[in-house]
């Protein structure tokens, strides 16, 4: 009699191009082990030209995956190819989490969930302020702006070197979002309670510009979606100036939890054990 174990094993993936440095397999592997689930989560590096065929194999079942994560540069295409993207993905025009349900491919974007859940865990009360400043207007800023707006922050100031890109985000996310050129940074920081860096400034130890955080209100929170290094230059500057800082690692960890629940049926917990596991891996590489 054939062994049916393979058909019972839930299989999920992360795909991107490149994707070999993704820590998602380590995160989900930890949770699979924690719950003693007979499942797997693997990285699949798929070139853009091959991505539609990969999604096709997911839809028709030939890939044997029940769903997975999508990262750069496939998020927009994943949204377009999904049968039923939810409202979050619709507004963003991008999806990072896919799963099969009743013969259809569903899609959402959990980046915003990851962002606010990290702040909730590391600095409860961060949303007491009514003014936020978001530095950068690239793709990574979309989910942050959406999540901060949906949390109820009244004013969100997006500052970018190319102000036209910031205006595109203001148009997309509504009247509470305001676009500014980089020269207006100090002015819009006045009395803001949240400062978010969504740019790659300071990533992998590169130099970041000096920022005077003093216009922020007392007790303001400064956070960075970059997590390599864990303490970025922007966070170091803010901390030296007396502000509370929250690193970006938790965003990566928390955004992974909803997908795990969709694929494997258990809601995982983001705890210090997982955080320390990922930090140890970062230190080795």
């Amino acid at each position: 009699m054939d062994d049916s174990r393979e058909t019972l094993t839930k299989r999920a993936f992360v795909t991107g191009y490149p994707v070999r440095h993704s820590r998602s397999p380590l995160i989900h592997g930890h949770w699979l082990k924690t719950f003693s689930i007979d499942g797997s989560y693997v990285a699949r590096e798929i070139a853009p030209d091959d991505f539609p065929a990969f999604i096709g194999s997911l839809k028709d079942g030939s890939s044997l995956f029940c769903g997975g994560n999508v990262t750069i540069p496939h998020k927009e295409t994943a949204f377009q190819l999904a049968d039923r993207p939810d409202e979050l993905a619709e507004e963003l025009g991008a999806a990072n989490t896919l799963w099969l349900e009743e013969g259809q491919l569903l899609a959402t974007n959990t980046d915003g969930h990851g962002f606010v859940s990290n702040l909730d865990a590391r600095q409860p009360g961060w949303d007491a302020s009514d003014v936020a400043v978001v530095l950068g207007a690239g793709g990574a800023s979309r989910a942050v702006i959406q999540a901060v707006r949906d949390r109820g922050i009244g004013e969100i100031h997006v500052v970018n070197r190319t102000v036209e890109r910031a205006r595109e985000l203001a148009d997309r996310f509504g009247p509470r979002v305001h676009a500014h050129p980089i020269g207006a940074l100090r002015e819009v920081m006045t009395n803001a309670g949240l400062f978010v860096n969504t740019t790659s400034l300071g990533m992998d130890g590169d130099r970041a510009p000096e920022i005077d955080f003093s216009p922020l209100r007392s007790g303001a929170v400064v956070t960075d979606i970059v997590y390599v290094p864990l303490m970025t230059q922007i966070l170091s500057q803010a901390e030296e100036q007396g502000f509370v800082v929250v690193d970006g690692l938790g965003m990566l960890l928390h955004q992974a939890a909803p997908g795990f629940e969709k694929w494997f049926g258990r809601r995982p917990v983001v705890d210090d054990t997982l955080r320390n596991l990922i930090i140890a891996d970062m230190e080795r590489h």
Side-chain angles (χ1 to χ4, degrees):
M1 186 172 180
D2 291 337
D3 185 356
S4 62
R5 180 183 177 88
E6 181 65 26
T7 61
L8 296 175
T9 300
K10 292 288 188 71
R11 302 173 70 239
F13 63 85
V14 58
T15 182
Y17 192 76
V19 77
R20 57 188 172 275
H21 297 305
S22 173
R23 291 185 169 87
S24 292
L26 189 58
I27 295 169
H28 290 279
H30 169 75
W31 286 332
L32 286 168
K33 183 177 179 181
T34 298
F35 289 118
S36 299
I37 292 174
D38 181 15
S40 67
Y41 183 100
V42 297
R44 286 286 183 267
E45 187 161 287
I46 308 291
D49 288 347
D50 298 327
F51 187 69
F54 176 77
I55 294 298
S57 71
L58 176 61
K59 288 184 177 184
D60 67 24
S62 61
S63 72
L64 301 180
F65 288 118
C66 61
N69 286 126
V70 178
T71 189
I72 296 171
H74 300 320
K75 291 184 179 183
E76 290 80 8
T77 309
F79 160 73
Q80 294 163 3
L81 295 176
D83 298 314
R84 286 167 50 198
D86 69 3
E87 291 182 3
L88 291 173
E90 286 276 6
E91 186 176 40
L92 293 172
N96 77 335
T97 303
L98 306 173
W99 69 100
L100 292 168
E101 193 172 297
E102 298 178 347
Q104 289 192 305
L105 184 62
L106 278 63
T108 190
N109 194 302
T110 65
D111 287 332
H113 166 82
F115 177 77
V116 297
S117 296
N118 182 38
L119 289 175
D120 288 341
R122 310 296 292 186
Q123 195 58 41
W126 66 270
D127 53 353
S129 169
D130 203 42
V131 181
V133 175
V134 176
L135 180 62
S141 65
R142 291 185 181 189
V144 169
I145 294 167
Q146 183 188 60
V148 171
R149 181 205 62 190
D150 290 351
R151 181 53 74 92
I153 304 300
E155 290 181 34
I156 303 167
H157 299 283
V158 183
V159 180
N160 196 58
R161 295 187 187 279
T162 307
V163 72
E164 287 77 14
R165 296 191 68 178
R167 290 196 185 105
E168 290 173 6
L169 296 182
D171 291 341
R172 177 183 291 266
F173 294 106
R176 282 188 279 162
V177 182
H178 310 278
H180 307 276
I182 197 71
L185 181 61
R186 181 178 177 84
E187 179 183 352
V188 300
M189 285 171 65
T190 302
N191 292 321
L194 177 68
F195 181 99
V196 187
N197 175 43
T198 70
T199 74
S200 60
L201 293 171
M203 183 179 287
D204 293 324
D206 292 343
R207 287 293 303 168
E210 295 292 325
I211 298 176
D212 177 10
F213 289 98
S214 63
L216 296 176
R217 78 171 199 176
S218 176
V221 176
V222 177
T223 188
D224 200 323
I225 68 169
V226 170
Y227 61 90
V228 179
L230 204 58
M231 181 61 75
T232 65
Q233 291 183 30
I234 286 176
L235 294 184
S236 293
Q237 291 177 33
E239 189 172 63
E240 288 168 3
Q241 295 174 46
F243 291 94
V244 173
V245 299
V246 176
D247 65 65
L249 178 57
M251 179 178 176
L252 171 72
L253 306 180
H254 284 280
Q255 64 81 30
F260 187 92
E261 184 176 25
K262 294 289 186 186
W263 311 315
F264 303 113
R266 299 289 295 272
R267 183 70 174 202
V269 175
V270 174
D271 55 17
D272 286 341
T273 300
L274 176 62
R275 179 179 169 86
N276 292 336
L277 178 70
I278 303 303
I279 290 174
D281 183 70
M282 289 164 54
E283 291 173 347
R284 286 193 297 269
H285 298 86

